[in-house]
Amino acid sequence: MLAIEPQIVEQYVRTGKVRLVFRDVLNHRERSERASEAAACSAQQGFFWEMHTLLFENQDRVWGTSNDGLLELMVGFGSQVEGLDQEAYRKCIQERSTLQKLRASDVEQRSRGIYAQPIFEINAQRLFGLQSFETMSAYIEEELK
């Protein structure tokens, strides 16, 4: 998604035609939880998409880090987000203050039959797996009619 995300944002979100919503699916246990917490704690300060991008670009580091090292990795990612209040972010991550809400979101997604990602919902249409910009655009344009 990240590869086509800027195009979707530029053509549809910024023009007010589409609202882009990210929903968590915690299908990789501790890794999913820690990454989702980093994004949620960043979101509390208005930096969700910046952290989302950082996490996407560093997937190999997340997968290559032991469960015991994930907290420190996420704290480190926070230090790369310009403007993020590091103290508040670190406290949020360490106290796991968003985890309960993230787990509830995961339960809700699973109740809707969503167990993995990426899955894209464009109104009633559900697309599974990575999609090209052309495919996404065709579905969006059809729904905008």
Side-chain angles (χ1 to χ4, degrees):
M1 174 64 174
L2 195 62
I4 67 166
E5 189 174 290
Q7 291 174 282
I8 297 289
V9 168
E10 188 64 32
Q11 188 163 337
Y12 296 105
V13 177
R14 287 197 179 140
T15 60
K17 295 177 182 176
V18 169
R19 183 172 59 116
L20 183 61
V21 176
F22 184 89
R23 294 188 180 124
D24 295 283
V25 178
L26 305 177
N27 59 330
H28 298 294
R29 297 187 181 93
E30 188 73 13
R31 280 174 178 70
S32 292
E33 289 183 354
R34 287 297 187 177
S36 293
E37 286 175 302
C41 290
S42 297
Q44 289 178 347
Q45 299 181 45
F47 293 100
F48 171 84
W49 292 107
E50 291 83 352
M51 182 59 74
H52 168 73
T53 299
L54 235 160
L55 291 166
F56 190 87
E57 290 172 347
N58 288 281
Q59 290 179 65
D60 290 344
R61 286 184 65 197
V62 174
W63 278 102
T65 301
S66 69
N67 285 352
D68 292 338
L70 287 171
L71 172 62
E72 190 60 35
L73 182 65
M74 296 306 141
V75 168
F77 286 156
S79 69
Q80 296 177 46
V81 177
E82 190 175 325
L84 189 69
D85 178 332
Q86 297 303 310
E87 186 176 324
Y89 172 78
R90 186 176 293 108
K91 181 179 179 184
C92 178
I93 289 280
Q94 289 174 332
E95 293 179 357
R96 305 197 87 170
S97 60
T98 62
L99 186 56
Q100 185 176 355
K101 184 176 179 183
L102 291 167
R103 286 179 174 162
S105 176
D106 180 62
V107 168
E108 191 264 327
Q109 288 296 89
R110 290 172 187 276
S111 75
R112 298 175 61 239
I114 298 174
Y115 297 91
Q117 69 265 38
I119 293 176
F120 305 96
E121 293 180 310
I122 302 170
N123 287 339
Q125 298 289 328
R126 194 176 275 181
L127 305 172
F128 296 88
L130 294 175
Q131 305 293 322
S132 68
F133 176 75
E134 293 74 24
T135 298
M136 294 289 285
S137 182
Y139 276 94
I140 291 169
E141 290 295 336
E142 183 63 30
E143 289 298 317
L144 290 174
K145 289 182 183 179

